[in-house]
Amino acid sequence: SMMLSLLLFTVVIYIPDPRMTSQPRVVDPKYVKENGAERLTGETYCLADLLKEWGIDSLIDDFNLSPAWQCRLCPYVDNDDDLITVLEEGVSCFVNESYAEDVVNSCGGDGIDFVTKSDWNDLPKPRIAFKSDWGRPGTVMADHTKLHLLQSFKELYESEDVLNLQMFHREGTDNPNIPCLPLQLKWPLPDVLGTQAGHALVPNSDEAPSEKEGLHGGQASLHAGQGVVVDNATRLSKKGALTWWHLDDGGEFVYQVALPLNNHSDAPTLIGPTGKPVTKLFVFVPLDAYDLIAQDDWQEGLHTVSALDLFRSPHHHLPTDPDVGDSKQSPSSLPTLWVALLEAGGRPLLSTPNVQHLVLTIQDCVMIEQRRLGKLFVDEMAYFMERARKWAEPPVMYNFLSKELKDENYVVATLIPFLISAASSFIGNLAGEHKQELQGEMGEEEKMTDRVCNFRAQRALASLEAIQKCHRHFAISKPALNQLQQYIADLKTLQGCGENIPIDTRNWRINNTIDGVRHGVIGVSQFGPTAFSARVRAKCHPVFGPIRSSVDDAVQDLKTMKAHIVHVTPPREVIQKQQEHLDEAQRKTDGEPLLELMVDASNFIDEELFSTLNKELIKLHEKGSARTALFNPCTLHQETKMQQQHQEMNVDMDALFD
């Protein structure tokens, strides 16, 4: 009876888990209390704590983000001075909503309703969408199971798979007849970044064919003032879609805005700082921390994504500062990340060139983007081309990089005179025969503020120096190069007399990083001019040693770490079985090149064979008998030859540096 009484009078209070409710989280205004450029030196926050507070961690499987990662939120800028300061630091930022007004008005109030409109919902040709896990560090890029062929835009949002589709608006690619909204984006700071690309072309317009092609991201480049439009895209994403680490394609700026979701935001996950639903989370890494994220010297022949898994890498695998210790809360041991929350119908995000970043979709959404190279940011292009030289597979370069910069008539007669004019406008009346020989006839500069004029000058000088330093990437004859060198020397002589062009901190970082790319040591990552860390490979993921002030010390660490690696040789029967799978695949395709069949996702070879091959390789990978779980049989024979050299980490790195 006593137990019955307790049961009758016990009150059970149920406190629901906020993750299980439909009530959205709201970003605390304290995270954006600094305005404009003030946020560049504002307070830092623990990234893991922020993602948990916002409920974003629930979208990531096996979430185990080290608390050592610190971050700042990308600044909001509303004036040219703040924007210039942010650009000088190479930080991505949000600009005023007014720059995207035309885009927001054109989509009719809801981006998903817009793209799924019956007029263009069905795709003339199936498009490949990527599943969320494609490109994850340690996985194989040529995995067809991570691809999905879409027949319509609506299918992406109705699919059981978490998908991401980036559709470029390019002439002659069987695009649906959907308007190219990125053309309506207005760019801030037009004297530096260029003017609006123009509105979508109407049928039978009288623009030249090359102009039409350029506007749609074709082979021709569209020159819009100081900018060169190289691509326009509409991106459809489902909640949870994760685009892993990547560089943008050529040292360009990416300017993006999320379309409003007035009819599809009944239960948003997160409300952003301006009161609108957050669609995407961007995480940016500083330019000089590239080697912390990507390990290019491991790419060749592996066919796997060699990069740091931000959300799952154990804390003891990260580089640590020996002067600070191995505390999980040691912010000095890792670079400060930048986080951007892209709101539906909110501020456009201007992404700075050449920084590794990943993007997590917070709710179903549509984002449009325009990509453009900056004529005043030639050093960004030079850095990208220097970096790409180290890649196992050369990227497809934009036409402006692969053709116009390889045309001496354009480089010497057009680009360099433009840069000299911009640099000279700060100095005033610059006398000297070298300027006269290179400058040519230039139009008068439009009126602009001193700050804008000065920024153009420092960017122009940085671009001229990039052409000189990285001249292998530009079509410039020896005599013209000598003239350019003399002009730069003359300009610096004038600077020494007190007429100084301000120091360009962004270009300083670029030059240091280029030197690191050229003179880097395999197995040593560089995070700055005096920050080096040895690294080895553990189950397709990097394990870093302590941060050292010299490359020689890091090399010694590398030797120590390699001495603790266990070498594994795959059994002979493993190699034989893999070769049998390859032979069987070759027979089923009647001897045709497998690589050609793999290019078209609709023509994958026998699914049963693929399934068998995948399962076998996954088993081998889990046992540590195969270097990687390779899903593309066309490259299987390359892996077989390399497996004899396989190295697998089998030691706790913590014990090495006590």
Side-chain angles (χ1 to χ4, degrees), residues 185-207:
L185 279 171
K186 297 172 184 173
W187 282 69
L189 208 61
D191 290 318
V192 174
L193 299 173
T195 56
Q196 183 179 352
H199 299 286
L201 295 176
V202 297
N204 303 318
S205 63
D206 56 2
E207 274 92 350

Side-chain angles (χ1 to χ4, degrees), residues 545-570:
I547 294 179
R548 305 297 190 187
S549 59
S550 74
V551 66
D552 292 338
D553 290 341
V555 169
Q556 290 302 314
D557 289 341
L558 182 62
K559 292 178 180 178
T560 302
M561 296 166 75
K562 282 185 173 181
H564 290 76
I565 293 178
V566 177
H567 296 267
V568 179
T569 302

Side-chain angles (χ1 to χ4, degrees), residues 425-451:
S425 63
F426 176 78
I427 298 299
N429 295 322
L430 175 65
E433 57 179 341
H434 307 292
K435 173 194 171 185
Q436 298 298 328
E437 290 173 359
L438 281 174
Q439 183 167 356
E441 296 182 2
M442 300 298 298
E444 293 185 3
E445 297 289 339
E446 296 182 4
K447 292 183 179 179
M448 61 188 77
T449 66
D450 288 344
R451 182 76 193 278

Side-chain angles (χ1 to χ4, degrees), residues 57 64 73 152 170 319 361 372 382 404 410 425 440 511 558 564 586 612 635 638:
D57 61 317
N64 186 32
L73 270 65
S152 70
R170 293 171 178 168
T361 302
R372 62 171 60 182
E404 290 178 72
Y410 173 76
S425 63
N511 285 331
L558 182 62
H564 290 76
Q586 198 72 53
T612 303
T635 56
Q638 299 176 16

Side-chain angles (χ1 to χ4, degrees), residues 309-325:
D309 191 331
L310 177 68
F311 302 116
R312 303 174 184 88
S313 290
H315 174 75
H316 62 274
H317 282 189
L318 301 175
T320 56
D321 189 338
D323 295 330
V324 176

